[in-house]
Amino acid sequence: MLLKLLLGIWMVAVIVAAFLFAPPAQGFAEPEAARIIFFHVPLAMVAALAFVIAMVYAAKYLSRRDLMDDIKSSISAELGLVFAILATATGSLFARVQWGSWWNWDPRETSIVILMLVYAAYFALRAATESAEKRAALSAVYAILALPPMILLIFVVPRVMASLHPSDTLTSGGLSTQYRLVLYPAALGFLGLYVWLFKIKTALAEVRLKLGRY
Amino acid sequence: MLAATRFKPSSTESPAHSTAPPGPTEMLRRSAAVFQKDVTCEFRTRYAVNAIALFAITTLFAVSFAVGGAGISQTVQSSLLWIIIYFSGMSGLSRAFVREEEARTASALRLAAAPGAVFGGKLLFNLVLLAGLEAVTVPLFVGMMGLQVSGWPLFVSVLALGSAGLAVAATIVAAIVSRANAKGALFAVLSFPILLPLLIGAIHGTQAALESAKFSAGMQDVKLLVSYTGVMFIVSILVFKFVWED
């Protein structure tokens, strides 16, 4: 309850700061459009993180065989899919303004689409398996199997192919202090949003499991 | 424990269900046994061979007919080659595992062979199937599409590495799919996201081989293919027993 209140206030502050505190960025086709990074970048980060968490719970299921781990893995995957869709939508909007087309098959765009395809395939696999134990084991293996290709796509393929996305802005100090002051709290806010949703869904699933309705 | 088994005279036949962990040669021998069984089964019906070969040739003819004599770019040529290989593979590479479930022989195989040997045998079978497919389609493709290959060593190594990676990923996904209910449609859906880095590297590397005679032109792609195949092989071996055993 407290987390919910804090999160609400925090996100409002972040949204206000994104539009009023941060100055329009120079060097963009539409300086005001740069504000989208406060939403787009955290969404993409949380989408990737949710996938890693889903994979960790998958591995945990395979070693402990606790059905709750499988449920947590699938909840994290569900949330990750929502975040990935939102990151793609915001990215596509920005691409239209900045580069003049909705979609360019830039390596980063490719990797987020593949991330969404992995999630979609994961849920297709879950839907196609009836027994809960078998579903848990198969989808856990698939989540683990999908991680190495994702790492290759995110870190190796952009070095082979040219990318429109800047890859070292955050680490090389290419971002002004004012932008950093909004971007990091925004990332924290979206992370909090993920944690909050995850907790609600987990509590609900736990009750369902106890009632035998899962 | 390992040392003790190593000094045993090699003539004594060790039982299949011995508790000592088998060495690499023993593992390979058992995999070869599973492979031999699969080849025998396959030649009874020739289902996978027929499906793959006919699919590949049909696609090749369709592509060649559509493109005709038009000079298409090397990017398109290398993409088409890998699209044909990928989809032909998708039409037959799941057979090795799906057949065991359909014929209800999976439980017997589980008793007769260790998970590692089963995975090794099926992987060998899929590798041979893909190699056979490429031995027919690639020369046909080169001839019908008028492919000008500048660097043959690079072309052949990208083809070999790409097929190895394709076989590894397809084998483990086939194992997953054979345990689920909707086997046919799921295979391509589950394989594509996993295979995409491999396809990107293979298409890029093939294009480099068409354009340049130097092997170094595709070195980055070769590295990508080698790392993909190696990593996927190790991960597959590690997770296979969770798929195979209930």
Side-chain angles (χ1 to χ4, degrees), chain A residues 57-161:
Chain A
Y57 275 114
K60 234 173 164 181
Y61 172 80
L62 289 182
S63 70
R64 298 194 318 187
R65 302 279 168 172
D66 178 0
L67 214 51
M68 208 52 217
D69 286 331
D70 168 63
I71 294 169
K72 282 180 184 164
S73 175
S74 75
I75 288 172
S76 190
E78 261 175 61
L79 294 174
L81 181 59
V82 175
F83 278 89
I85 290 171
L86 289 174
T88 313
T90 49
S92 183
L93 278 175
F94 180 72
R96 179 76 182 93
V97 175
Q98 178 70 18
W99 302 312
S101 89
W102 298 103
W103 202 253
N104 305 290
W105 284 115
D106 152 281
R108 285 269 176 276
E109 289 175 347
T110 312
S111 54
I112 195 114
V113 164
I114 298 310
L115 187 61
M116 286 195 288
L117 277 182
V118 167
Y119 281 136
Y122 174 88
F123 288 114
L125 178 63
R126 289 184 75 87
T129 324
E130 268 158 28
S131 110
E133 275 79 22
K134 210 164 149 193
R135 184 199 310 138
L138 291 186
S139 58
V141 167
Y142 188 70
I144 292 171
L145 213 57
L147 191 72
M150 279 318 300
I151 292 173
L152 283 177
L153 270 176
I154 292 173
F155 296 107
V156 181
V157 171
R159 294 177 62 173
V160 181
M161 291 157 74

